[in-house]
Amino acid sequence: GAAFGDWDNDGWVDIVVNRLDAKPLLLRNLGRKDRNWIVLELEGTRSNRQAIGALVKISAEGLPDQWRTVSTAGSYLSASDPRLHFGLGPAPAAGVEILWPSGTRQSISALPAGRVHKIREPGQSGQ
C-alpha cells in the first residue's frame, strides 16, 4: 500500500510505501522550486469534519481550471492526506470554489500561492 501527502509541507506531494517485513519507505518529491502551488485543508461544520466528498475548483490566471474531490482513498490498506494540492505554475494566487457535501457553495478569491490554507465550511452544524 502507498499513501500520498505533503510530508514536509513544501507544496510537493510525497509518497509513503508500506513494505512487507521492512520499515516504510518515504519517497520525497524534490520537484522544481520555481513553480507556485497552493494547498487547501477543508474543515466541514455542516458536512463531515474532514469534508470528504467536497468538490473544489481552482482558477488561476493563465491556467485551465483544476478540479479535485476530497478523499483519503487511493491504495490498499492506506489512507492519504485529505488536503488538496494544486500546481499554479507562475500564477501568484488562485480563486477557489467549493461545493461542500452539505450542498453549501463557497467562493474565495485571490488566495496567495505557496501556502497551506485552512478553509472552514460556512455555518454551524444544526443551524
Side-chain angles (χ1 to χ4, degrees):
F4 302 84
D6 190 356
W7 179 266
D8 50 6
N9 290 316
D10 65 354
W12 297 89
V13 177
D14 308 300
I15 306 170
V16 176
V17 180
N18 293 323
R19 301 185 299 167
L20 187 62
D21 297 325
K23 292 181 180 180
L25 176 65
L26 174 61
L27 302 172
R28 289 192 57 219
N29 184 347
L30 303 175
R32 294 175 57 173
K33 303 301 182 198
D34 63 340
R35 300 287 189 238
N36 288 329
W37 52 271
I38 196 166
V39 174
L40 304 179
E41 181 179 350
L42 304 185
E43 180 183 340
T45 57
R46 296 174 54 210
S47 301
N48 64 82
R49 188 166 178 88
Q50 278 193 301
I52 301 296
L55 180 62
V56 177
K57 179 177 89 169
I58 290 283
S59 302
E61 186 176 335
L63 296 174
D65 291 342
Q66 298 178 58
W67 296 83
R68 302 267 192 286
T69 301
V70 177
S71 174
T72 60
S75 186
Y76 180 70
L77 295 176
S78 300
S80 293
D81 187 352
R83 299 178 302 171
L84 302 176
H85 296 70
F86 297 90
L88 299 181
V96 177
E97 293 180 34
I98 304 168
L99 175 58
W100 294 90
S102 67
T104 300
R105 292 184 182 271
Q106 183 177 13
S107 294
I108 303 168
S109 61
L111 286 177
R115 292 185 40 200
V116 176
H117 296 274
K118 187 166 186 172
I119 300 173
R120 190 168 186 180
E121 182 179 17
Q124 295 293 323
S125 180
Q127 288 184 346

